[in-house]
Amino acid sequence: MRLILLGARKVVETVTQQKGCVLVHCSDGWDRTSQLCALSLLMMDRSYRTIDGFEVLIRKEWISAGHKFKSRCDHFGDRSQPAHEFSPIFLQFIDCVWQLMMQNPTQFQFNDHLLVYLLDALYSCQFSDFLAENDQERVKKGLRHFPSVWKQINAEKDLYVSHAYIPTDDVLVCDMSALQFWADYYLRHEKC
């Protein structure tokens, strides 16, 4: 998470402090590119720190950009994919969002329950958003009849609202020495 957040911080500093332009394109364009662009936008623009804005961010930088959810998550146990294709890229992004939330708790309209729900939805294979590599594949495979995760989230929006939310136009910062292990997610099924 540290390296991903350092990359996003570099993008944010270049744009906000140096007033520079940034082109983000990592090796294949599906993994680090989505992580860095989405995190940078989240850090710079408070609109993406609302529930509706976070939906727009994920749709734009992940779903519409063609992130390889099916391959990265091994949906449907597709062993035709090489093992090196499996990778928790979206999980890493969500963990980074959680790190930012822990360090900037008043800057997010949503709480960590939304993040956990999104991760559960990612691996549940119930939502069209995460079942294919791109929109064309979703249509071709008839996945459009699966609901969108956002329909469910928006129907229960009150569950995901942070009562600590005080919106400002501040650019978020991330102290790399304050990163934490997200025990409430990673250890939530452990017996006490």
Side-chain angles (χ1 to χ4, degrees):
M1 292 340 116
R2 183 178 180 278
L3 291 176
I4 299 165
L5 285 163
L6 280 171
R9 185 170 76 181
K10 178 68 174 164
V11 170
V12 170
E13 288 171 355
T14 301
V15 171
T16 62
Q17 295 172 6
Q18 299 170 16
K19 306 300 183 207
C21 297
V22 177
L23 172 65
V24 178
H25 182 69
C26 305
S27 61
D28 63 11
W30 286 292
D31 296 334
R32 298 292 174 252
T33 304
S34 292
Q35 288 175 331
L36 294 177
C37 290
L39 286 169
S40 300
L41 289 168
L42 188 73
M43 294 169 76
M44 291 187 287
D45 187 341
R46 78 176 189 176
S47 69
Y48 293 120
R49 299 189 295 261
T50 65
I51 295 172
D52 293 337
F54 198 56
E55 174 184 356
V56 169
L57 182 70
I58 290 175
R59 285 187 186 277
K60 180 171 84 81
E61 297 298 331
W62 293 91
I63 297 166
S64 294
H67 178 68
K68 298 167 72 171
F69 285 108
K70 185 180 76 172
S71 298
R72 297 300 185 250
C73 300
D74 189 27
H75 287 326
F76 313 115
D78 184 4
R79 295 298 168 200
S80 66
Q81 295 285 335
H84 71 273
E85 290 287 315
F86 309 140
S87 186
I89 301 300
F90 190 72
L91 168 61
Q92 291 171 343
F93 163 71
I94 295 294
D95 193 322
C96 289
V97 173
W98 182 82
Q99 299 293 338
L100 290 169
M101 287 175 70
M102 293 302 100
Q103 294 185 29
N104 303 275
T106 62
Q107 296 300 308
F108 289 84
Q109 182 194 30
F110 52 90
N111 58 35
D112 62 339
H113 297 293
L114 176 66
L115 303 181
V116 171
Y117 185 81
L118 280 169
L119 290 174
D120 286 346
L122 171 68
Y123 294 107
S124 73
C125 296
Q126 295 178 359
F127 299 100
S128 62
D129 313 83
F130 305 128
L131 290 177
E133 315 290 56
N134 53 54
D135 286 331
Q136 181 181 2
E137 184 179 337
R138 279 181 199 84
V139 171
K140 183 178 176 184
K141 294 192 175 194
L143 299 174
R144 291 285 181 177
H145 70 275
F146 283 83
S148 168
V149 67
W150 297 102
K151 183 176 181 180
Q152 186 67 32
I153 288 168
N154 288 321
E156 301 176 332
K157 204 177 255 187
D158 291 344
L159 297 174
Y160 306 114
V161 172
S162 169
H163 299 293
Y165 181 53
I166 303 170
T168 68
D169 288 327
D170 296 345
V171 172
L172 298 187
V173 293
C174 185
D175 178 356
M176 298 306 152
S177 67
L179 299 181
Q180 305 173 43
F181 176 70
W182 188 8
D184 287 346
Y185 177 73
Y186 293 110
L187 301 179
R188 66 191 168 132
H189 299 295
E190 295 294 315
K191 295 180 181 177
C192 297

